Amino acid sequence: MCGIIGYNGKENAIPILIEGLKSLEYRGYDSSGIAYFTNNKIKIFKEQGRIEELEKILVSDDTNIGIGHTRWATHGRPNNINAHPHKVGNVTLVHNGIIENYHELKEELLKKGYTFKSETDTEVAAALVDDLIKTKENIISGLAKLKNILKGSYAFAILFDFDPDNIYALRYGSPLIVAESSIGNFIASDIPAILKYTKNYYLIDDSIAVITKDKIKFYLNNQEIHKEKLTFNHDIMSATKGGYSHFMLKEINEEPELVDKYLKYYLNNLELIPSISKYKKIYIVACGSAYHASLIGSYLIEKYLNIETKVELASEFRYKKNFLKKDDLVILVSQSGETADTIASLRLAKETTKTLGIVNVVGSTIARESQEVIYINAGCEIAVATTKAFTLQVLTFSMLIYKELLKIDPELSKEVLNDYNKLSQEIRKLINIDYKDIVNKISKHKDVFFIGRLIDYYLALEGSLKLKEISYIHSETYAAGELKHGTISLIEENTPVISVLTDKSIYEKTISNIKETKARGAYSLVIKRECLNIASDVYDDLIEIPDLSDLTTCVLSVIPMQLLAYYVALNLGYDIDKPRNLAKSVTVE
Ligand code: F6R
């Protein structure tokens, strides 16, 4: 979702801003723009569509300071007028987030004589800043007032006509970092945009950052403050494609090594995995794939630890009546740590209970605001469709249970540990399967069904989401037992039905459901655990998952579905890493 870049330094700003915008493309966008000072005057260029369209209209100029933006439309259509930067009076600004009270603010600003060209909340924010700040001396105190006026979430990078030497940045609820490097200083929505120049960065938090050519200053309550420099410890390769044709394929291929590293790290530092057995009830709150990982987690926690566990969609949880009690635990699962609904759910939960974040991005809002946090250590995940983060989220639930098994069932914990040691090599084998034939069969269809029961249903939900989000093939998931309550009427000759069979306790029931679809002409692809016996007339194609213990098989089962989705989208020629209308980090509700 919207990306921000800013540069102030020795080099020409234009190519640096464009390159920064390209490195933020993965966040999803539909227009882009830049603004810079040249001869102390602001110039703005913006264009609908890809950054390449923006490049076509740029001119060469002498400039060392500027800001840039990729916009993912929320208020108003994706066109040139609504694209950022927006200039009102002396203020040029780019924005990520949503200003919820922009209507009221607009009314007041209209009365003061401001006029608006776009439909955006951002132009209103630019007018507000212009109204508040008339001279260079008032910038810091004026920007500090925004916190009490704006409702919603925002990250801003701002240029003032009367201060051509500095960029100003502030945020609330939307991500923004600043970084110093040998060629100059940066503002960015995310780390990949600065990695070419530096691994060191600062979080802005509640402060106002002033980015000069050779220094970054932070102000809180109108006083200059000191901030700790942070270092991005992952390999720089984790933000580049490293020879793979797509980030998604690269990220799937990283899974064996990441799982290995994760296990080595946490098995040697088990104290970093909090104990959950003391809680009476656990809630897990998340969105999208993280929600699917949570469903898997809840199933396993209930099965192995006997703790009632409820999974909630963050976008629902935050608005409905809750029954949280002070001895419950709320787990928030989020790759980015910046998903707006999950953040809101966290803040709500904190009023009553303990919170635990399962997060990838270090220093993100959910990581910082949760009382406890487990980092999944997936490195940068760039492809919009999550793969490695999902796998590590599921592994984290497995690990939470493993820690308790050490106390309550040492025998089983030994078995799990033994299987953890096999995990990465088994993932590698699943990655190396030849999926071509199956991919060709599925690619031809407009509709696909995924079925499964219990944990296999949750895995199927993730497989189906992966397929539809990048291949645009319509795909539905059904708890297999629900098929005959209506949906089976949709099965026609050759309709693909992909069934997940890994749960020993229930797979025979699912087999009966597969047979019902086969009897109506379905093409049946079965993804099953090796040890489960099924007759050859149940499937047309078969993918087998190695038979490890439940707490490790759950990590393996999704891998073939991630790869199927990838290869089907590749076969159909789609833009795999940047599916239409989707954003990597959903920072608006
Ligand atoms: C799907 C996908 C999304 C995210 C969801 C939550 O492939 O990536 O469904 O899982 O937007 O994002 P995070 O985990 O960043 O909170």
Side-chain angles (χ1 to χ4, degrees):
M1 223 153 241
C2 301
I4 290 178
I5 180 83
Y7 171 72
N8 191 1
K10 318 192 248 207
E11 306 287 321
N12 188 299
I14 300 172
I16 292 179
L17 293 174
I18 293 297
E19 186 185 56
L21 289 180
K22 286 187 176 166
S23 65
L24 293 169
E25 271 187 312
Y26 71 92
R27 297 169 67 83
Y29 71 104
D30 33 48
S31 58
S32 62
I34 60 169
Y36 53 83
F37 277 108
T38 178
N39 295 325
N40 290 342
K41 289 254 170 344
I42 290 270
K43 269 198 183 176
I44 299 179
F45 295 89
K46 41 192 193 174
E47 194 63 46
Q48 188 180 338
R50 292 269 176 224
I51 294 165
E52 287 72 22
E53 300 305 314
L54 172 67
E55 283 182 284
K56 286 183 194 157
I57 61 163
L58 295 177
V59 296
S60 61
D61 262 323
D62 195 12
T63 171
N64 306 99
I65 171 167
I67 55 179
H69 189 263
T70 46
R71 172 173 188 254
W72 189 84
T74 56
H75 291 60
R77 299 178 64 78
N79 59 27
N80 287 14
I81 297 175
N82 290 330
H84 304 201
H86 286 279
K87 179 160 174 42
V88 180
N90 286 314
V91 172
T92 304
L93 170 152
V94 293
H95 165 220
N96 174 10
I98 287 187
I99 311 291
E100 284 165 5
N101 57 339
Y102 86 107
H103 262 303
E104 297 96 287
L105 294 170
K106 194 170 182 175
E107 291 301 310
E108 284 168 32
L109 290 159
L110 282 167
K111 281 187 211 142
K112 289 185 175 178
Y114 282 97
T115 54
F116 296 93
K117 297 188 213 92
S118 76
E119 303 154 87
T120 63
D121 51 344
T122 305
E123 197 183 9
V124 175
L128 175 69
V129 176
D130 182 68
D131 186 42
L132 288 172
I133 301 167
K134 299 292 181 204
T135 64
K136 187 173 169 181
E137 290 65 42
N138 289 338
I139 294 179
I140 299 295
S141 58
L143 291 178
K145 289 184 188 147
L146 289 178
K147 212 187 282 177
N148 297 327
I149 303 175
L150 296 176
K151 294 209 178 102
S153 61
Y154 51 83
F156 293 125
I158 311 174
L159 299 172
F160 291 91
D161 282 1
F162 42 71
D163 185 7
D165 296 326
N166 297 314
I167 309 175
Y168 293 81
L170 69 157
R171 66 171 285 279
Y172 176 77
S174 297
L176 201 60
I177 56 157
V178 287
E180 287 167 341
S181 81
S182 58
I183 65 147
N185 298 328
F186 289 88
I187 313 172
S189 295
D190 205 350
I191 289 170
I194 53 141
L195 272 187
K196 185 172 166 196
Y197 305 102
T198 178
K199 282 186 153 197
N200 298 322
Y201 64 100
Y202 301 91
L203 297 173
I204 298 180
D205 296 323
D206 290 342
S207 69
I208 294 162
V210 185
I211 292 87
T212 72
K213 224 176 237 16
D214 40 39
K215 202 170 180 235
I216 299 178
K217 296 186 202 162
F218 299 95
Y219 292 86
L220 189 63
N221 302 327
N222 298 325
Q223 302 291 325
E224 191 170 345
I225 55 160
H226 171 78
K227 278 204 150 274
E228 276 314 306
K229 198 182 275 182
L230 304 171
T231 303
F232 180 74
N233 283 322
H234 298 286
D235 184 349
I236 204 149
M237 282 285 286
S238 79
T240 64
K241 280 191 209 149
Y244 287 95
S245 46
H246 295 93
F247 279 112
M248 182 173 175
L249 187 60
K250 177 192 166 235
E251 287 161 5
I252 295 172
N253 273 278
E254 281 171 0
E255 289 181 36
E257 199 186 324
L258 286 170
V259 162
D260 223 19
K261 273 195 190 160
Y262 178 104
L263 287 168
K264 278 200 184 97
Y265 180 67
Y266 282 112
L267 289 172
N268 286 321
N269 296 284
L270 260 182
E271 70 285 355
L272 298 178
I273 303 287
S275 170
I276 54 171
S277 58
K278 56 180 178 273
Y279 296 103
K280 294 228 161 53
K281 183 163 179 179
I282 297 176
Y283 290 82
I284 315 179
V285 187
C287 300
S289 292
Y291 171 76
H292 300 153
S294 305
L295 288 167
I296 294 167
S298 86
Y299 176 76
L300 295 171
I301 291 173
E302 290 193 335
K303 180 167 174 180
Y304 288 98
L305 303 183
N306 260 317
I307 305 174
E308 188 187 350
T309 307
K310 201 159 184 247
V311 186
E312 300 269 8
L313 288 163
S315 52
E316 305 268 314
F317 179 76
R318 60 181 292 197
Y319 298 114
K320 66 191 245 200
K321 185 173 165 68
N322 75 62
F323 296 90
L324 297 177
K325 299 205 181 60
K326 70 173 182 336
D327 43 10
D328 296 337
L329 171 69
V330 177
I331 304 180
L332 296 302
V333 186
S334 175
Q335 185 283 129
S336 62
E338 298 294 350
T339 300
D341 286 317
T342 317
I343 294 175
S345 302
L346 161 66
R347 291 183 179 151
L348 181 99
K350 267 170 79 173
E351 291 169 13
T352 318
T353 68
K354 288 267 175 344
T355 54
L356 164 65
I358 296 180
V359 180
N360 186 35
V361 177
V362 176
S364 57
T365 304
I366 296 174
R368 281 180 292 131
E369 294 191 15
S370 299
Q371 276 138 332
E372 291 189 277
V373 62
I374 305 177
Y375 282 115
I376 61 168
N377 295 340
C380 275
E381 194 179 61
I382 305 276
V384 164
T386 183
T387 51
K388 57 178 180 171
F390 176 85
T391 298
L392 291 166
Q393 286 161 352
V394 175
L395 182 58
T396 301
F397 282 112
S398 167
M399 195 60 123
L400 280 165
I401 298 163
Y402 169 76
K403 175 155 173 164
E404 304 302 335
L405 289 181
L406 288 170
K407 288 176 270 175
I408 58 174
D409 192 341
E411 265 318 294
L412 182 56
S413 74
K414 263 190 222 142
E415 194 188 313
V416 174
L417 182 62
N418 193 31
D419 286 352
Y420 277 159
N421 291 326
K422 300 183 193 151
L423 250 182
S424 68
Q425 99 203 28
E426 297 299 352
I427 296 177
R428 182 62 65 208
K429 283 188 203 152
L430 290 169
I431 292 175
N432 290 335
I433 291 177
D434 185 354
Y435 293 93
K436 214 177 299 135
D437 273 1
I438 300 173
V439 164
N440 286 335
K441 288 180 193 163
I442 293 175
S443 306
K444 290 194 285 234
H445 291 274
K446 286 208 165 68
D447 303 291
V448 173
F449 290 88
F450 281 77
I451 61 170
R453 286 181 185 235
L454 302 174
I455 192 169
D456 294 335
Y457 170 52
Y458 311 140
L459 287 159
L461 281 169
E462 178 58 11
S464 163
L465 175 60
K466 283 290 86 83
L467 182 70
K468 67 186 144 201
E469 69 182 329
I470 58 170
S471 75
Y472 313 136
I473 293 176
H474 164 243
S475 151
E476 299 257 358
T477 320
Y478 278 92
E482 280 296 292
L483 272 180
K484 51 179 159 304
H485 296 285
T487 352
I488 201 156
S489 62
L490 293 168
I491 305 292
E492 292 174 357
E493 197 60 30
N494 280 329
T495 303
V497 175
I498 302 176
S499 313
V500 184
L501 294 184
T502 69
D503 192 326
K504 289 179 185 162
S505 69
I506 195 85
Y507 81 101
E508 280 160 327
K509 302 276 176 209
T510 310
I511 289 179
S512 310
N513 302 125
I514 302 172
K515 284 186 175 162
E516 288 156 8
T517 68
K518 281 222 81 184
R520 284 155 186 85
Y523 153 75
S524 164
L525 166 62
V526 170
I527 300 174
K528 80 159 185 78
R529 198 158 165 174
E530 251 165 17
C531 62
L532 305 179
N533 281 325
I534 62 170
S536 59
D537 62 342
V538 175
Y539 57 87
D540 297 294
D541 283 300
L542 184 68
I543 297 173
E544 291 201 303
I545 309 290
D547 181 32
L548 304 181
S549 58
D550 286 356
L551 287 173
T552 33
T553 299
C554 60
V555 179
L556 292 172
S557 316
V558 78
I559 314 261
M561 292 188 275
Q562 294 176 341
L563 286 152
L564 277 178
Y566 173 79
Y567 287 120
V568 169
L570 187 72
N571 209 13
L572 296 172
Y574 290 124
D575 191 352
I576 295 178
D577 288 332
K578 288 172 278 192
R580 68 182 177 221
N581 302 336
L582 290 177
K584 181 69 184 160
S585 177
V586 184
T587 49
V588 297
E589 69 176 83

